[in-house]
């Protein structure tokens, strides 16, 4: 297996684990921002700091002020003083249009995602901006996890 693919699969797997921190009932999304094979930021969808950890209203609709995982990761790295220029964003769901704009402006050069969001306008915008976009589906990740388990048992 290609070494870059191994890293991509591992980071996507970690983003999936990170998504579990979300309080969202509808969809938990996780993101990792990686530069020079170091995780420089992380995020999951949720409310802004200081708000209650309730992402949906009483009708099950996502509250308008909930931040997406990639927005949380990008703002977190900005707050830290690190640069996301040239980084790769690993995310469990493809970015929406609003997050795609943040990705472009933050200098991220590559986006690797697992699941497709219901709209693909964010992906189209990233591609138009020259950002490398790749999808690695859940079946490929599961196969990778099985190979790791088998190797550990041997």
């Amino acid at each position: 297996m290609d070494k870059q693919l191994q890293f991509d699969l591992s980071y996507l797997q970690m983003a999936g684990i990170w998504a579990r921190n979300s309080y969202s009932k509808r969809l938990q999304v996780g993101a990792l921002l990686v530069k020079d094979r170091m995780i420089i930021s992380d995020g999951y969808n949720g409310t802004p700091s200081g708000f209650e950890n309730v992402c949906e209203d009483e009708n099950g609709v996502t509250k308008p002020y909930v931040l997406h995982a990639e927005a949380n990761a990008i703002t977190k790295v900005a707050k830290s003083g690190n640069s996301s220029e040239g980084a790769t964003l690993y995310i469990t769901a493809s970015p929406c249009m609003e997050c795609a704009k943040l990705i472009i402006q933050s200098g991220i050069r590559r986006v690797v995602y697992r699941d497709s969001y219901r709209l693909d306008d964010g992906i189209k915008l990233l591609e138009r901006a020259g950002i490398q976009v790749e999808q690695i589906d859940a079946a490929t990740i599961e196969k990778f996890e099985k190979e790791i388990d088998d190797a550990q048992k041997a």
Side-chain angles (χ1 to χ4, degrees), residues 3-35:
K3 195 67 172 170
Q4 183 60 54
L5 179 59
Q6 283 182 334
F7 279 109
D8 290 345
L9 289 165
S10 294
Y11 287 129
L12 265 182
Q13 188 179 34
M14 286 188 266
I17 292 167
W18 201 243
R20 296 179 198 162
N21 290 318
S22 172
Y23 286 87
S24 176
K25 290 178 174 47
R26 290 183 55 220
L27 178 65
Q28 294 180 316
V29 180
L32 291 180
L33 199 49
V34 177
K35 185 174 179 179

Side-chain angles (χ1 to χ4, degrees), residues 50-69:
F51 282 67
E52 74 289 346
N53 289 320
V54 179
C55 296
E56 293 87 10
D57 64 19
E58 59 279 351
N59 299 316
V61 177
T62 300
K63 293 180 179 179
Y65 53 85
V66 167
L67 290 159
H68 290 184

Side-chain angles (χ1 to χ4, degrees), residues 33-36 38-41 73-88 103 105-109:
L33 199 49
V34 177
K35 185 174 179 179
D36 300 324
M38 287 189 322
I39 298 170
I40 60 170
S41 190
I74 290 167
T75 55
K76 191 174 179 180
V77 77
K79 195 174 180 181
S80 76
N82 283 328
S83 171
S84 54
E85 188 72 39
T88 297
I103 291 165
Q105 288 301 96
S106 68
I108 293 168
R109 292 287 158 239

Side-chain angles (χ1 to χ4, degrees), residues 76-135:
K76 191 174 179 180
V77 77
K79 195 174 180 181
S80 76
N82 283 328
S83 171
S84 54
E85 188 72 39
T88 297
L89 178 68
Y90 293 91
I91 186 159
T92 57
S94 61
C96 69
M97 177 62 83
E98 291 304 309
C99 289
K101 291 187 279 186
L102 289 173
I103 291 165
I104 293 165
Q105 288 301 96
S106 68
I108 293 168
R109 292 287 158 239
R110 186 167 173 255
V111 173
V112 180
Y113 68 96
R114 185 185 67 202
D115 304 324
S116 293
Y117 180 62
R118 60 184 170 83
L119 302 173
D120 66 352
D121 54 353
I123 294 296
K124 288 178 180 173
L125 185 66
L126 292 175
E127 290 171 342
R128 182 174 164 203
I131 294 173
Q132 184 182 352
V133 179
E134 298 173 42
Q135 181 179 19

